[in-house]
Amino acid sequence: SAVISQKPSRDICQRGTSLTIQCQVDSQVTMMFWYRQQPGQSLTLIATANQGSEATYESGFVIDKFPISRPNLTFSTLTVSNMSPEDSSIYLCSVDGGGNTEAFFGQGTRLTVV
Amino acid sequence: GENVEQHPSTLSVQEGDSAVIKCTYSDSASNYFPWYKQELGKGPQLIIDIRSNVGEKKDQRIAVTLNKTAKHFSLHITETQPEDSAVYFCAADSGYALNFGKGTSLLVTP
């Protein structure tokens, strides 16, 4: 299993600013995933982050808007840049055990942009 | 890419009754199908999963069935309790990540 600590748990931000979300895992993992969950909606994958390489973004998400860092095997950050109210969502980081095993999630960051 | 459809979007049952949530998927290569429960203010937590070499799996009051030919799988909760109230998500693997259904908001009333 994996325990994931995600910070901040919530924030209210002004439009045009940026917020960096941190994700710390209690064990070394190869792949970390960032998801967005808009109000009342499902989880949508933003990008996959592997240590030592650039993140891979899903269709509709770009690096300039959601830059990701992955400096080591236990930590990653997601930045939401130049925020607008449409960015108001819950952002979740996730890891899995590899080979189609259980995925573990952080508690999420609830972002409100005003 | 993988498309996961989930029904119903909301479900209300009386305590003690059963609840069934159904999902379909599009990618025949998917072989891992987890179900997650998400309570308010928390991240999703795995409650049960099934792989394609198995047709059914049970864990106490929770069971999952899989029909690979028809590409659908279902979650069954028996003897529901108020603490089962939450949003439930089905998912199917895409080879490197999970694709989620839109979720079912389950309400169990005493």
Side-chain angles (χ1 to χ4, degrees):
Chain A
S1 67
V3 177
I4 302 172
S5 300
Q6 197 172 327
K7 289 193 286 190
S9 58
R10 58 177 63 231
D11 208 341
I12 300 173
C13 300
Q14 295 289 327
R15 66 177 69 200
T17 63
S18 298
L19 175 72
T20 296
I21 303 167
Q22 299 180 5
C23 182
Q24 179 75 52
V25 190
D26 69 342
S27 57
Q28 293 185 340
V29 294
T30 303
M31 296 173 75
M32 295 179 75
F33 306 89
W34 287 98
Y35 287 86
R36 181 175 73 183
Q37 185 176 25
Q38 292 178 304
Q41 300 296 315
S42 186
L43 289 78
T44 301
L45 183 65
I46 297 172
T48 304
N50 289 344
Q51 193 267 338
S53 62
E54 281 200 7
T56 302
Y57 289 83
E58 297 298 301
S59 175
F61 298 96
V62 295
I63 188 171
D64 289 346
K65 176 67 176 178
F66 298 101
I68 288 171
S69 79
R70 184 77 203 277
N72 57 54
L73 290 172
T74 63
F75 188 78
S76 178
T77 66
L78 169 76
T79 298
V80 186
S81 303
N82 188 25
M83 289 183 285
S84 67
E86 292 71 37
D87 294 321
S88 298
S89 285
I90 298 172
Y91 292 85
L92 295 147
C93 73
S94 172
V95 303
D96 68 24
N100 293 331
T101 56
E102 177 179 356
F104 300 91
F105 288 85
Q107 80 274 23
T109 295
R110 183 178 294 272
L111 170 63
T112 302
V113 184
V114 297
Chain B
E2 175 73 277
N3 184 38
V4 179
E5 300 282 340
Q6 183 173 346
H7 299 279
S9 57
T10 61
L11 180 59
S12 181
V13 299
Q14 291 276 338
E15 182 178 2
D17 288 349
S18 295
V20 180
I21 303 171
K22 298 183 179 182
C23 287
T24 61
Y25 62 98
S26 60
D27 188 353
S28 57
S30 295
N31 56 27
Y32 176 63
F33 308 93
W35 286 88
Y36 284 83
K37 177 182 180 182
Q38 186 176 28
E39 297 175 323
L40 201 61
K42 298 183 179 179
Q45 298 237 320
L46 181 77
I47 55 171
I48 195 167
D49 57 13
I50 192 167
R51 289 178 173 77
S52 59
N53 58 343
V54 175
E56 184 174 357
K57 183 176 177 181
K58 189 173 181 180
D59 183 3
Q60 299 183 331
R61 296 186 297 108
I62 295 172
V64 57
T65 59
L66 171 65
N67 183 327
K68 277 224 81 175
T69 302
K71 293 189 212 157
H72 66 70
F73 55 114
S74 300
L75 176 72
H76 304 253
I77 306 174
T78 58
E79 301 170 33
T80 53
Q81 302 166 2
E83 49 266 38
D84 293 329
S85 297
V87 179
Y88 292 81
F89 293 97
C90 63
D93 78 285
S94 66
Y96 64 95
L98 294 173
N99 291 294
F100 288 83
K102 290 189 182 296
T104 296
S105 179
L106 173 64
L107 177 64
V108 181
T109 55

